[in-house]
Amino acid sequence: MSEPKVWARKSTFIFAAAGSAIGLGNIWKFPYMVGENGGGAFVLVYLICVLLIGLPVMMSETIVGKYSHGNAIDAISKTAKRSNASQWWKGTAVLSMVVIFVILSFYSVIAGWAVDYTYNFAIGEFSGKNADQVGKFFGDLLADPKRLIIWHSVFMFLTAIIIARGAQEGIEKSLGIMMPLLFIILIAVVGYSMFATGKFSETINYMFSADFSKITPMVIIKAMGQAFFSLSLGMCVIMTYAAYMRKDVSITESSLYVTGLDTIMALLAGLAIFPIVFANGMNTGSGPGLLFVTLSTAFAQLGVIGTVLGMAFFFLVIIAALSSSISLVEPFVKWCEEHFGINRVVTTFTYCFAVWAFGLITIYSFNDWSVVEFMGTEDKPLLGIGKSPFDVLDFFASSVFLPLGGLLVSLYVGWAMDKEISREQLFTLSGFFFSLWLVVMRFVVPVLICLVFVSSILGEAKTVEIIEQVTNYFH
Ligand code: PHE
């Protein structure tokens, strides 16, 4: 058998997994979720979820990948064989491949918005615009399929080029440039926010002092879903990258680094954005428009500095999204390459083209198809979930299949897989911490994920009702 393909440098797994984890989830989603869900209360619950669920699940995916040195489907097959477990567990990875295809198709469209913003900041288009005008700019972008298709194509093409070049030449080399750049730009914007706005202490207070009355069951559930999305868990993405991990690298240490870096970047994004929002007397609870309307209006009011900051900031969003999107392509390409021996370049471009075409559904969701009412009625459109096909895709991919993937991984590694595999792989952990990890994987993680899962299917009101009934019963 040939030597397994591994990263050239010891630190690359950390870079690659952190690159996958740090993305739109940190810079776009996290701040607006903090803003919508009670500031410090959300941050506190999020941090607990990352530590209690995110870290142990990240270690589990890494164990399977590193043990087998292969694509996710074969990795599960190989560990299952050694554990005398059913080969049906491979279904977990197969399901992931389908879901990441869908996630990438809309991820790329949203990343495309950032490409459009970077370009328009660069040409001074935003200069002096007020909130209404920036809101209109955003609305016009969403209403224009041609513009959306151009940027979506540019983004998918960049992703394909990196992946086609291979793990070492493409992923490893590009990350060596992208990750430090990401960090530098974010620190620069935080630096500006810290010294120039005078709102830094207000932000610290907002983000880090928790008002416990704001911690509702729904806040806990949303924070957990966000932890999964942000850490790229449950999708066999981390498993795929772990396959390239060198033998001498510690899984525990690497997982701690990746989880830590992802969390730091999310917090830094908050520290970069909120002072600017506060300084302009704007509302933190503006939802998905926080970056594309609220923050952009603030930049637009800052003259030349705003133009530079806006350009740098959205460029940062592009890089963060790109280092995540490549991780959404690699699992399928690696599988085709290893399992069927198909040429990497051919698979990459065919796959990316298919994702691109599927992405058109998202693009038209924002304009021509936005109120498609098939499968629904006027007041309860599309299965009662949302008003466009994109809402439905996003709901099923992020809120249903991501927790489901996480649940399957935790059941597989916790219960089905031979625990000797984990024991060998977690060679740096002491006996006590290993047992702790196993208990968390077997009991804590599945129960908590089931909560997220049930809640996302039943919706907010119903879940709160059930939780209240259960708590009353125990009182
Ligand atoms: N973690 C990425 C982000 O925060 C998104 C992602 C999800 C990537 C799932 C891979 C798998 O943007």
Side-chain angles (χ1 to χ4, degrees):
M1 219 179 97
S2 63
E3 273 292 295
K5 224 191 271 168
V6 292
W7 303 116
R9 277 174 301 136
K10 261 178 102 165
S11 57
T12 303
F13 172 72
I14 297 174
F15 262 83
S20 167
I22 299 163
L24 297 174
N26 304 57
I27 303 173
W28 170 60
K29 246 180 155 178
F30 180 78
Y32 86 66
M33 290 189 88
V34 173
E36 277 184 336
N37 296 290
F42 182 86
V43 174
L44 179 72
V45 180
Y46 177 79
L47 293 179
I48 296 173
C49 290
V50 165
L51 205 66
L52 212 62
I53 305 174
L55 180 64
V57 173
M58 167 117 12
M59 289 164 71
S60 306
E61 282 201 29
T62 313
I63 290 171
V64 179
K66 191 184 172 200
Y67 173 81
S68 52
H69 281 306
N71 64 82
I73 297 180
D74 292 338
I76 294 189
S77 167
K78 194 169 165 186
T79 46
K81 211 176 270 165
R82 179 173 148 188
S83 315
N84 289 323
S86 162
Q87 284 292 321
W88 279 102
W89 285 106
K90 277 196 296 198
T92 308
V94 176
L95 180 75
S96 305
M97 302 266 180
V98 178
V99 182
I100 53 180
F101 178 92
V102 176
I103 293 185
L104 182 56
S105 77
F106 61 73
Y107 201 84
S108 164
V109 174
I110 295 172
W113 300 352
V115 187
D116 185 281
Y117 269 59
T118 310
Y119 169 74
N120 280 296
F121 265 108
I123 60 169
E125 184 60 37
F126 280 93
S127 238
K129 275 192 167 44
N130 63 27
D132 287 344
Q133 288 164 325
V134 177
K136 182 174 178 315
F137 179 90
F138 188 49
D140 287 348
L141 170 66
L142 297 191
D144 187 348
K146 255 200 235 117
R147 216 166 120 195
L148 292 172
I149 290 175
I150 292 175
W151 300 124
H152 167 54
S153 314
V154 169
F155 188 81
M156 271 322 293
F157 187 66
L158 289 175
T159 304
I161 290 180
I162 298 179
I163 288 294
R165 292 177 66 89
Q168 284 192 359
E169 280 302 304
I171 303 176
E172 190 163 9
K173 285 216 173 124
S174 64
L175 285 170
I177 304 168
M178 289 197 285
M179 296 310 285
L181 203 61
L182 190 77
F183 200 68
I184 292 168
I185 299 178
L186 193 52
I187 291 288
V189 183
V190 173
Y192 170 82
S193 296
M194 189 152 59
F195 297 112
T197 61
K199 295 287 177 187
F200 204 69
S201 59
E202 192 177 325
T203 302
I204 297 280
N205 203 13
Y206 177 71
M207 283 180 68
F208 298 105
S209 73
D211 172 357
F212 288 94
S213 69
K214 288 193 174 147
I215 304 183
T216 61
M218 212 15 97
V219 166
I220 300 177
I221 283 155
K222 282 191 185 159
M224 192 156 27
Q226 171 62 10
F228 262 99
F229 185 82
S230 186
L231 291 167
S232 302
L233 293 174
M235 285 296 106
C236 297
V237 164
I238 297 293
M239 196 182 285
T240 304
Y241 273 176
Y244 296 114
M245 214 167 165
R246 292 161 50 132
K247 256 207 157 59
D248 51 348
V249 180
S250 151
I251 289 180
T252 314
E253 216 174 277
S254 312
S255 305
L256 273 169
Y257 270 115
V258 175
T259 315
L261 283 172
D262 185 69
T263 310
I264 290 172
M265 292 301 265
L267 295 175
L268 281 178
L271 293 178
I273 294 167
F274 290 126
I276 301 179
V277 173
F278 288 143
N280 288 276
M282 288 164 160
N283 181 7
T284 54
S286 59
L290 183 65
L291 226 63
F292 292 98
V293 181
T294 314
L295 182 70
S296 299
T297 306
F299 285 147
Q301 301 293 321
L302 287 173
V304 183
I305 301 179
T307 301
V308 175
L309 277 176
M311 204 173 73
F313 188 85
F314 284 102
F315 183 62
L316 164 95
V317 178
I318 303 174
I319 301 177
L322 198 56
S323 64
S324 298
S325 67
I326 53 177
S327 76
L328 289 161
V329 177
E330 180 65 15
F332 183 79
V333 170
K334 186 169 168 62
W335 179 58
C336 287
E337 200 184 14
E338 292 175 358
H339 205 83
F340 305 107
I342 310 177
N343 176 288
R344 188 173 175 100
V345 179
V346 174
T347 327
T348 304
F349 280 95
T350 315
Y351 182 78
C352 287
F353 178 73
V355 173
W356 175 86
F358 201 74
L360 297 179
I361 297 181
T362 298
I363 287 182
Y364 284 102
S365 291
F366 295 118
N367 34 74
D368 296 1
W369 298 345
S370 66
V371 272
V372 178
E373 279 164 20
F374 60 89
M375 296 156 77
T377 58
E378 176 110 38
D379 51 336
K380 228 181 167 219
L382 277 177
L383 307 167
I385 294 164
K387 53 182 179 353
S388 71
F390 163 70
D391 290 325
V392 177
L393 287 180
D394 181 30
F395 175 81
F396 277 106
S398 312
S399 307
V400 179
F401 286 105
L402 227 76
L404 181 66
L407 179 65
L408 291 173
V409 168
S410 69
L411 293 177
Y412 175 65
V413 174
W415 296 96
M417 196 177 83
D418 184 356
K419 74 175 196 291
E420 278 314 304
I421 297 181
S422 309
R423 183 64 277 199
E424 280 163 24
Q425 292 297 321
L426 297 178
F427 58 87
T428 55
L429 268 193
S430 71
F432 170 75
F433 279 108
F434 178 73
S435 308
L436 183 67
W437 169 81
L438 198 61
V439 169
V440 171
M441 280 315 289
R442 286 190 164 174
F443 302 101
V444 181
V445 175
V447 169
L448 290 178
I449 296 174
C450 280
L451 261 179
V452 184
F453 191 46
V454 171
S455 73
S456 50
I457 290 176
L458 296 181
E460 175 152 356
K462 190 86 195 138
T463 312
V464 172
E465 195 185 304
I466 294 175
I467 292 176
E468 272 167 8
Q469 276 173 5
V470 175
T471 7
N472 285 345
Y473 180 80
F474 284 106
H475 278 140

